[in-house]
Amino acid sequence: MALSSVLEGVGVSAYLGAAAEILDKTYLTIAGSILTVESRHSSYIRAALGESPFPKPFDTPLDFNQVYSLAAQFITGFAKGDPALPFTAFPPLAIQPSQYPYTAGSSSVTFSHAKKNALAKGLITSSTKVFAVLFSGLDTYYVLVYETQGNSG
């Protein structure tokens, strides 16, 4: 159920984000029809998990790279010689568990080796300011990331 919740949530955000890219308006109604079904699936699964079926008044539109970053771990089966996809997944993040209970608004979150991974992919330089971008409905929050010393990266 948890995996279904992630996949359906990504599906809703993918269709919503891609709507602006549809040039032939003939396809817009078809895509909108699929979006409403994905949204119902997502609501049903969230309710089954004991979560709010519709936590915000607006869903979060995601662009192609954002969707691919979330879905890449589930995409397999390309034949040798198939063309590469025109999307780039962001480096994976590994959240390091805290020894203390999390308190919204005052607790820190540690992403182990995030800077090292971003440097290795050439996405940043050692002096680049890095922000965590958090989406909630149509709200976007940018939080400056602070680098810790030691092996956490």
Side-chain angles (χ1 to χ4, degrees):
M1 289 297 286
L3 175 59
S4 289
S5 181
V6 170
L7 293 176
E8 293 296 343
V10 170
V12 169
S13 293
Y15 273 97
L16 185 58
E21 303 299 323
I22 297 174
L23 300 178
D24 184 340
K25 299 306 175 191
T26 305
Y27 297 109
L28 195 55
T29 299
I30 296 166
S33 177
I34 295 169
L35 171 60
T36 62
V37 172
E38 292 293 328
S39 183
R40 286 194 300 272
H41 290 168
S42 180
S43 294
Y44 179 82
I45 291 166
R46 289 180 60 84
L49 290 169
E51 299 173 357
S52 172
F54 32 88
K56 298 281 281 188
F58 300 100
D59 286 314
T60 304
L62 297 178
D63 67 28
F64 296 117
N65 289 333
Q66 293 167 328
V67 170
Y68 185 61
S69 295
L70 294 169
Q73 62 185 318
F74 306 109
I75 299 172
T76 61
F78 288 106
K80 189 173 184 175
D82 279 349
L85 293 174
F87 314 116
T88 303
F90 299 123
L93 294 175
I95 297 176
Q96 183 176 339
S98 174
Q99 60 182 338
Y100 305 106
Y102 180 79
T103 303
S106 65
S107 294
S108 64
V109 177
T110 302
F111 297 102
S112 301
H113 308 294
K115 184 174 184 178
K116 180 176 80 172
N117 293 341
L119 284 167
K121 284 205 164 210
L123 299 172
I124 63 170
T125 67
S126 59
S127 62
T128 303
K129 283 188 177 183
V130 177
F131 292 82
V133 183
L134 309 168
F135 300 100
S136 181
L138 293 178
D139 299 325
T140 305
Y141 304 94
Y142 299 89
V143 180
L144 182 62
V145 173
Y146 296 95
E147 182 180 1
T148 58
Q149 301 302 316
N151 292 329
S152 66

